[in-house]
């Protein structure tokens, strides 16, 4: 499933140079590791409590918009429901595509903004373009 999720993102961005942000990284790097292998992808990882020096400290409830100025796509894996409206707000503010991979069977908390359920091979997630 994780390979399918990474593959979907790589298919979405194609071969043009892009900047992608993973928000609320936590300790799970599998997708970031896959995306980092692509030469055309610049990856920014943020979390309120960075696990190491590869993760930038940022609070999505009050984001540093300068960090996200050139971001083309945001994704977040299993973000807590209370953070989901903030992800939507940021994506709308910077005009970025958003992908949320919630916990299995978890409802989204995105307020009035409706995200589309996407199934790609064995991966299921929500997108906002």
């Amino acid at each position: 499933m994780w390979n399918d999720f990474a593959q979907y993102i790589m298919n979405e961005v194609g071969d043009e140079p892009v900047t992608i942000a993973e928000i609320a990284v936590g300790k799970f790097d599998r997708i970031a590791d896959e995306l980092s292998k692509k030469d055309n992808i610049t990856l920014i990882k943020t979390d309120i409590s960075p696990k190491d020096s590869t993760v930038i400290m940022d609070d999505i409830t009050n984001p540093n918009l300068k960090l996200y100025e050139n971001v083309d796509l945001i994704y977040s894996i299993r973000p807590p429901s209370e953070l989901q409206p903030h992800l939507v707000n940021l994506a709308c503010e910077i005009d970025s595509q958003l992908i949320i991979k919630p916990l299995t069977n978890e409802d989204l908390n995105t307020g009035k903004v409706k995200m589309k359920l996407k199934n790609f091979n064995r991966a299921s997630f929500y997108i906002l373009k």
Side-chain angles (χ1 to χ4, degrees), residues 7-97:
Q7 187 61 53
Y8 176 82
I9 294 173
M10 288 187 278
N11 290 353
E12 277 295 292
V13 301
D15 294 325
E16 295 298 314
V18 295
T19 301
I20 298 175
E22 180 176 354
I23 297 177
V25 173
K27 296 177 178 16
F28 184 74
D29 309 64
R30 189 163 173 188
I31 303 305
D33 288 346
E34 282 300 309
L35 297 177
S36 295
K37 293 176 185 175
K38 296 272 293 175
D39 291 337
N40 64 309
I41 295 175
T42 300
L43 186 64
I44 300 167
K45 300 185 295 184
T46 69
D47 199 289
I48 196 163
S49 298
K51 69 178 185 87
D52 60 34
S53 63
T54 68
V55 181
I56 300 167
M57 185 175 142
D58 192 47
D59 179 357
I60 189 62
T61 65
N62 184 24
N64 175 354
L65 294 177
K66 284 214 164 279
L67 286 175
Y68 306 101
E69 281 181 340
N70 299 311
V71 170
D72 302 294
L73 183 145
I74 295 170
Y75 72 95
S76 189
I77 299 170
R78 300 183 296 242
S81 65
E82 65 270 13
L83 296 184
Q84 294 171 8
H86 299 285
L87 291 165
V88 170
N89 291 344
L90 177 61
C92 290
E93 174 119 8
I94 65 168
D95 193 28
S96 172
Q97 183 176 355

Side-chain angles (χ1 to χ4, degrees), residues 79-88 100 102 106-113 115:
S81 65
E82 65 270 13
L83 296 184
Q84 294 171 8
H86 299 285
L87 291 165
V88 170
I100 296 178
E106 180 183 44
D107 290 331
L108 286 186
N109 176 25
T110 57
K112 293 181 180 180
V113 175
M115 295 184 71

